[in-house]
């Protein structure tokens, strides 16, 4: 995830890339949050800013520390992500999905269509319904957003990109 976010090849002309971590309280999400604090700058000069994170129960806005509790029907809210990014006036967003959630992967097509980049090790979208996978591919090829996914096999060896 961090290599995609920090890559000079990440398609952005904006001075800031806002990163929102879904699953930001788990083992992987917490490690990613620690790597992104304080904000970083890529070799191309883009500032990488962690704007917020959430789990299935609540969301946190990093700039203010404000916590929002999800209710029975709202487990995740795109408006909350947008409000986290509003603090620096930039709509250049990357969702870092650190979950293994089917529900979260169901948002991918919408996010890509909105122009939000996605970086994830979540395998649910790749192994779920073919129609959803194809819709994600189409949205990432026709829009401005990129979908970066990587997985590990066996003992956590990153062999998918090597193959």
């Amino acid at each position: 995830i961090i290599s995609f976010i920090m890559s000079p090849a990440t398609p952005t002309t904006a001075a800031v890339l806002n990163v929102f971590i879904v699953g930001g309280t788990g083992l992987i999400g917490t490690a990613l949050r620690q790597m992104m604090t304080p904000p970083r700058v890529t070799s191309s000069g883009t500032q990488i800013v962690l704007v917020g994170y959430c789990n299935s129960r609540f969301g946190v806005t990093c700039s203010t520390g404000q916590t929002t509790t999800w209710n029975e029907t709202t487990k995740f809210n795109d408006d909350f992500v947008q409000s986290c990014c509003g603090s620096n006036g930039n709509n250049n967003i990357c969702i870092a999905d650190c979950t293994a959630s089917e529900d979260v992967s169901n948002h991918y097509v919408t996010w890509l269509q909105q122009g939000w980049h996605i970086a994830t090790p979540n395998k649910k979208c790749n192994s779920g319904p073919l129609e959803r996978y194809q819709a994600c591919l189409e949205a990432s090829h026709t829009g401005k957003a990129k979908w970066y996914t990587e997985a590990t096999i066996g003992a956590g060896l990153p062999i998918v990109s090597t193959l």
Side-chain angles (χ1 to χ4, degrees), residues 6 13 52-53 63 71 74 79 92 105 107 111 143 154-155 157-158 162:
M6 293 298 294
T13 56
Y53 61 94
S63 63
N71 60 37
T74 305
D79 292 334
N92 193 32
S105 64
H107 288 270
W111 292 338
L157 303 172
T162 304

Side-chain angles (χ1 to χ4, degrees), residues 30-161:
T30 298
L32 181 58
R33 281 190 4 240
Q34 291 170 347
M35 284 190 278
M36 296 186 67
T37 307
R40 296 169 164 244
V41 178
T42 66
S43 59
S44 62
T46 301
Q47 184 178 16
I48 310 298
V49 179
L50 177 62
V51 294
Y53 61 94
C54 71
N55 63 19
S56 62
R57 293 175 303 283
F58 62 86
V60 176
T61 305
C62 288
S63 63
T64 63
Q66 174 187 354
T67 300
T68 299
T69 303
W70 310 136
N71 60 37
E72 290 290 319
T73 58
T74 305
K75 300 272 185 194
F76 183 78
N77 185 317
D78 289 355
D79 292 334
F80 179 74
V81 174
Q82 193 70 53
S83 71
C84 289
C85 298
S87 62
N88 62 22
N90 184 354
N91 193 36
N92 193 32
I93 299 169
C94 178
I95 300 290
D97 176 12
C98 297
T99 72
S101 169
E102 188 85 29
D103 292 337
V104 174
S105 64
N106 286 334
H107 288 270
Y108 287 7
V109 174
T110 303
W111 292 338
L112 290 165
Q113 290 170 340
Q114 291 176 176
W116 296 3
H117 306 292
I118 300 170
T120 183
N122 185 339
K123 298 180 271 288
K124 296 294 183 180
C125 193
N126 301 356
S127 62
L130 180 60
E131 296 80 20
R132 180 182 59 196
Y133 175 76
Q134 290 172 329
C136 285
L137 285 178
E138 176 69 21
S140 68
H141 288 133
T142 59
K144 295 179 181 178
K146 297 299 176 194
W147 175 32
Y148 179 81
T149 183
E150 179 64 89
T152 58
I153 299 172
L157 303 172
I159 65 168
V160 174
S161 61

